[in-house]
Amino acid sequence: MTYIIIGHYGSGKTNFACNLALKLSQEGSTAIADLDIVNPYFRTADQSEILEAAGVKLVVSKFFTSTLDIPSLTFDLGSAAAEYDNLIIDVGGDDEGAKTLGRYREALSDKPVTVLYVVNFRRYLSKTASDAAEILREIEAASGFRADVIVNNTNLAEETTAETIKDSEKECQKLSKLTGIKEIITVIPEMIDYSSDNRFTVKIIVKKPWN
Amino acid sequence: MKGNEALAEAAIRAGCKCFFGYPITPQTEVAAYLAKKLPKTGGQFVQAESEVAAINMVYGASAAGVRCMTSSSSPGISLKTEGISYLCGADLPCVIINVQRGGPGLGGIQPSQADYFQATRALGHGDSRVIVYAPNSVQEMVNVVNNAFNLADEYRMPAMILADGLLGQMMEPVEFPETETAEVKKPWATNGHGGSREHNIVNSLYLKPDVLEKSILERDKRYKDIEAKHTTAESFLCDDAELVIVAYGATARVCKSAVNASRAKGIKAGLFRPVTLWPYPKKELVAASSNAKTLLTVEMSTGQMIEDVKLAIECKKPVEFYGRTGGIIPTPAEVLAQIEKITKTLDMEGV
């Protein structure tokens, strides 16, 4: 299976993608591709240590962190999808980031694909279901992929509480209605006590340097 | 919000009506956000053909009495410095954002604090000064944007927000306070005399030495007034501290973790964090370090602010330095190791 992670920049795609990779790596061979060429901060590729320790293959541009750390994609996602049981593709933020995905449509067509749309309803530009639906439409138009699953990753970083997540569920249901996407995953950080249908517990992997 | 977006939203809320900029990592989201939102609030967004063009557009908008802003990152700020000097010379207010990256030259795209000298000493030629704020969180970035606009208007001069790539790119929760946007009258603005007054002229060229000297001295009085009234700083556990760390921006967050770790080990360390870099909070630092035996400056550079620290305390105490550069952020463990090394030496000397 190929999992494509899309979403607003800063919505928590990378943290979710890394957690998904760690989980899937227990079930089969897993690779994660960093397609974020828009922004060189807080990327999957920076988490190589924890991913490689779990046996996750990291697919990054061969220019990563070289003098040529420029927007470039030098890898073949089609063969990565064929080679591994699970391939996770962490896409750059917004429609700008999703443009890169379009070029791989053909190459990814041999295997089933699940597209997961990560959303944080506490982000200033995606506070409501209609904001989030509009961002998704832009991403879908730019990438040529349709989302199959909504990943409700509503959080306030270190200030996240069970209430933060609870409050977001109504908006998430609205988004589901607006977009016709029925499947919802609710992301719960491991230190938070909250139960929800389809919960997905995550470790906070993407950290700030002083934590 | 993301730091860069927070800067942009705070500018809109502070009444910024014109933004001129040119994209550069790691500050591009400031422009991207304003491109979407500023026109909806009746403002103007222009992506200029270069940084030089953008700063000169700021000159024009500011001369017309409009609250305006530009934003860039290190190499782009270097390009703007000519225009900044002209803004200073013409007594024009504006806000300039620098989300610092590595240098010199093209440097890198990771965070840095190596533009301290430029920000506090050399944003332009001539006897010119720029108010410089160095926030250390996304929330503080929001808070200082409004202050920067207000002080710039009040004193008719540019103000800079000196952030870094980490602050610009990271996500943190923010609240937008009900801000008071100071309504400053601008009788000097070239916004149409309506047949009721003389033409206003905005200019920085004075060919007669006595006239130029007069204008510089008048401006210098305003600079001295700001130095007396508008320094800001935060002291953390400094009262009984034998070792006071001085750090600003993102580095101060790292140092705070290190101070907490050293306190847990029984080491009396504290943190002094300047929020304004010009004017430098000299008297606040003297007070915060009154019980200190030594000071330690930590920066993401090879040592720039350390000069202001030494000047502030008139070199009366030793000032040590620890820095990482090139885009590397010092870790709390590294800073703690420095604290332990210094305090060990102090104990051995029995000072």
Side-chain angles (χ1 to χ4, degrees), chain B residues 242 291-294 317-318 342-351:
Chain B
E242 294 181 351
N291 290 319
K293 290 173 182 161
T294 190
K317 290 173 182 177
I342 293 165
T343 46
K344 212 173 183 181
T345 320
L346 286 178
D347 290 345
M348 273 161 59
E349 287 167 354
V351 184

Side-chain angles (χ1 to χ4, degrees), chain B residues 25-228:
Chain B
T25 304
Q27 67 77 52
T28 302
E29 295 86 359
V30 178
Y33 189 95
L34 288 167
K36 275 190 182 150
K37 300 268 280 193
L38 192 54
K40 288 181 186 164
T41 63
Q44 297 290 328
F45 170 91
V46 179
Q47 181 174 320
E49 67 269 35
S50 73
E51 287 86 350
V52 178
I55 194 72
N56 284 293
M57 290 174 187
V58 166
Y59 185 104
S62 180
V66 176
R67 276 204 164 174
C68 54
M69 183 168 97
T70 186
S71 168
S72 194
S73 177
S74 308
I77 296 293
S78 294
L79 283 165
K80 288 183 197 291
T81 52
E82 180 197 49
I84 296 171
S85 178
Y86 279 63
L87 283 151
C88 293
D91 297 315
L92 291 175
C94 69
V95 170
I96 302 155
I97 288 169
N98 181 4
V99 183
Q100 293 174 87
R101 56 184 258 178
L106 276 173
I109 48 180
Q110 298 295 336
S112 163
Q113 293 181 319
D115 297 354
Y116 183 92
F117 281 153
Q118 185 192 49
T120 58
R121 313 269 197 283
L123 277 172
H125 58 276
D127 276 317
S128 59
R129 288 291 193 181
V130 171
I131 302 160
V132 182
Y133 285 98
N136 79 332
S137 66
V138 178
Q139 182 65 56
E140 197 171 60
M141 295 219 276
V142 166
N143 302 346
V144 298
V145 165
N146 194 56
N147 296 351
F149 272 109
N150 287 346
L151 271 195
D153 272 353
E154 185 185 341
Y155 287 94
R156 293 186 61 182
M157 62 188 289
M160 172 172 273
I161 314 285
L162 190 69
D164 61 64
L166 184 60
L167 288 170
Q169 292 298 329
M170 75 182 184
M171 301 282 302
E172 275 187 323
V174 285
E175 275 177 29
F176 286 94
E178 286 298 316
T179 47
E180 275 180 45
T181 303
E183 272 300 320
V184 180
K185 288 214 162 58
K186 297 178 177 175
W188 46 264
T190 54
N191 51 0
H193 55 69
S196 61
R197 60 162 168 79
E198 288 291 302
H199 285 280
N200 280 339
I201 296 170
V202 170
N203 175 41
S204 69
L205 179 65
Y206 300 91
L207 290 175
K208 289 183 181 161
D210 56 330
V211 181
L212 179 57
E213 186 188 47
K214 199 175 151 229
S215 84
I216 292 169
L217 292 179
E218 185 277 322
R219 191 175 301 120
D220 194 54
K221 249 190 221 163
R222 277 181 278 145
Y223 290 164
K224 297 230 159 46
D225 195 57
I226 297 176
E227 284 186 299

